[in-house]
Amino acid sequence: MQNLKYYLVAFVAFMLWGFFSLALKPIAYVPSFDILFYRIAFSTVLILIVTVLFRRKIFLDDIKAFKKLPKTDKQKGIRLTVVGGILLGINWFLFIYVVNQINVQSASFAYLICPIITTFLANILLKEHLQKIQWIAVCISLVACLIYFFSNSNNLLFAILVALTYSLYLISQRKNTYFDKFNALVFQMLIILVLSIPYFIIHGFAVPSEASFYFYIFIIASVFTLIPLYLNLYALKGASASTVGIMIYINPIIAFLLAIFYYKEHVNTLQFVSYFLILLSVFIFNYQIINQLKKKTINQ
């Protein structure tokens, strides 16, 4: 298979995200916003180093191209980048809070329903067409959410908030064609970092003394932030966006298995039913894409 290496790279990226809780749980004693700040600070430093060492020309060319855009396009590009940064920062904070203060399975459920919520909102906000079979999948996922709600209403609320903020981030960035995606992320990291500083001016800045905290933050910033993002960008060079998109489900499935078998979190019958229905809706929603991939694989 000619593009196998690109599919494997995409698989590794989403697999890494599935194990994210392993680095978050050991530092649950630190407030979620503090973890977010250090994640952003370390990630910003690392992404700037990567940009300077490996992507300097791409970054400078991007800035030159942006300066030549009409004023309205410049304003739109800046607005979408800033909004994207805010949404991404909120999503990161909510995810950290849910994993450390609620449970891992709620974070898993959030990213399981995220792609369907994204497509549903894209249909409303961006007028993207949905086929009948995809509407059926959306309805099944809605039923699954209702069942999950009856099993634990509070957990569903947090799961939906995590999924919704990331979905809105993705939708906002679909329209953000004014920057290279990686360069947009550089700006968004800086935006989140700047916006988070006032919190520490008001509430004070606590510096954790445990060396292990900085080890886990470095792992989060590199292994669970920048490396998967880089792998995703690389994968899209040789694999279709739809193929990479399907692989996002690797992340929540791994997280859910960790929640049950590693963290020993309790899962009742209704929660199992809701997960089964979500997986069924995912299969139905992507049925045509899966068929196309199978045919493509056979032909190759």
Side-chain angles (χ1 to χ4, degrees), residues 159-229:
I160 288 178
L161 285 174
V162 172
L164 186 62
T165 50
Y166 195 66
S167 295
L168 290 172
Y169 168 74
L170 292 176
I171 289 171
S172 69
Q173 296 315 290
R174 283 186 188 179
K175 290 289 186 179
N176 192 4
T177 57
Y178 306 98
F179 294 105
D180 170 89
K181 295 299 182 185
F182 195 88
N183 291 339
L185 189 63
V186 173
F187 291 123
Q188 287 167 351
M189 290 281 196
L190 291 169
I191 289 165
I192 302 170
L193 182 63
V194 170
L195 291 177
S196 63
I197 290 174
Y199 170 87
F200 293 99
I201 295 175
I202 297 169
H203 295 279
F205 189 85
V207 179
S209 57
E210 295 83 357
S212 61
F213 171 80
Y214 297 98
F215 167 76
Y216 284 115
I217 286 294
F218 177 77
I219 295 298
I220 288 170
S222 56
V223 178
F224 296 115
T225 303
L226 296 185
I227 290 176
L229 287 170

Side-chain angles (χ1 to χ4, degrees), residues 11-287:
F11 177 85
V12 171
F14 289 112
M15 182 187 70
L16 286 174
W17 273 322
F19 290 101
F20 194 1
S21 62
L22 294 177
L24 276 178
K25 278 290 188 183
I27 54 175
Y29 59 90
V30 177
S32 299
F33 202 98
D34 290 21
I35 296 174
L36 173 65
F37 178 81
Y38 281 102
R39 178 190 185 184
I40 295 165
F42 275 60
S43 297
T44 302
V45 170
L46 288 175
I47 203 170
L48 288 174
I49 291 172
V50 169
T51 301
V52 171
L53 293 181
F54 304 108
R55 293 175 52 86
R56 186 177 179 181
K57 187 177 184 304
I58 297 172
F59 184 81
L60 293 175
D61 288 345
D62 216 19
I63 296 297
K64 289 177 184 177
F66 182 76
K67 287 180 178 178
K68 294 177 182 178
L69 292 174
K71 185 178 179 181
T72 53
D73 286 344
K74 286 180 183 177
Q75 291 174 343
K76 191 175 181 181
I78 293 170
R79 186 166 60 250
L80 287 171
T81 302
V82 172
V83 168
I86 293 170
L87 287 170
L88 189 61
I90 294 171
N91 174 261
W92 283 4
F93 169 73
L94 289 172
F95 179 81
I96 291 168
Y97 180 81
V98 169
V99 169
N100 283 351
Q101 306 301 325
I102 309 298
N103 54 43
V104 175
Q105 57 180 288
S106 293
S108 165
F109 191 80
Y111 284 105
L112 203 57
I113 62 176
C114 181
I116 290 180
I117 289 178
T118 302
T119 309
F120 177 71
L121 290 177
N123 174 263
I124 297 172
L125 301 175
L126 303 179
K127 308 301 180 185
E128 292 185 359
H129 177 67
L130 281 181
Q131 298 176 352
K132 287 183 178 179
I133 192 170
Q134 291 176 316
W135 277 114
I136 292 171
V138 170
C139 291
I140 292 173
S141 66
L142 179 61
V143 172
C145 287
L146 289 173
I147 292 173
Y148 196 89
F149 175 80
F150 288 119
S151 68
N152 196 317
S153 58
N154 291 330
N155 287 7
L156 177 64
L157 175 63
F158 282 107
I160 288 178
L161 285 174
V162 172
L164 186 62
T165 50
Y166 195 66
S167 295
L168 290 172
Y169 168 74
L170 292 176
I171 289 171
S172 69
Q173 296 315 290
R174 283 186 188 179
K175 290 289 186 179
N176 192 4
T177 57
Y178 306 98
F179 294 105
D180 170 89
K181 295 299 182 185
F182 195 88
N183 291 339
L185 189 63
V186 173
F187 291 123
Q188 287 167 351
M189 290 281 196
L190 291 169
I191 289 165
I192 302 170
L193 182 63
V194 170
L195 291 177
S196 63
I197 290 174
Y199 170 87
F200 293 99
I201 295 175
I202 297 169
H203 295 279
F205 189 85
V207 179
S209 57
E210 295 83 357
S212 61
F213 171 80
Y214 297 98
F215 167 76
Y216 284 115
I217 286 294
F218 177 77
I219 295 298
I220 288 170
S222 56
V223 178
F224 296 115
T225 303
L226 296 185
I227 290 176
L229 287 170
Y230 232 166
L231 292 177
N232 262 320
L233 288 171
Y234 181 79
L236 288 171
K237 291 182 179 180
S240 66
S242 59
T243 305
V244 175
I246 287 177
M247 291 189 183
I248 195 174
Y249 300 111
I250 296 166
N251 168 3
I253 289 170
I254 291 174
F256 182 63
L257 293 174
L258 279 175
I260 298 173
F261 298 107
Y262 185 76
Y263 295 112
K264 308 298 181 182
E265 293 181 1
H266 174 69
V267 181
N268 58 40
T269 304
L270 285 177
Q271 287 171 315
F272 267 116
V273 171
S274 64
Y275 265 87
F276 172 77
L277 289 176
I278 285 292
L279 288 173
L280 177 63
S281 70
V282 166
F283 176 79
I284 293 172
F285 192 90
N286 296 289
Y287 179 74

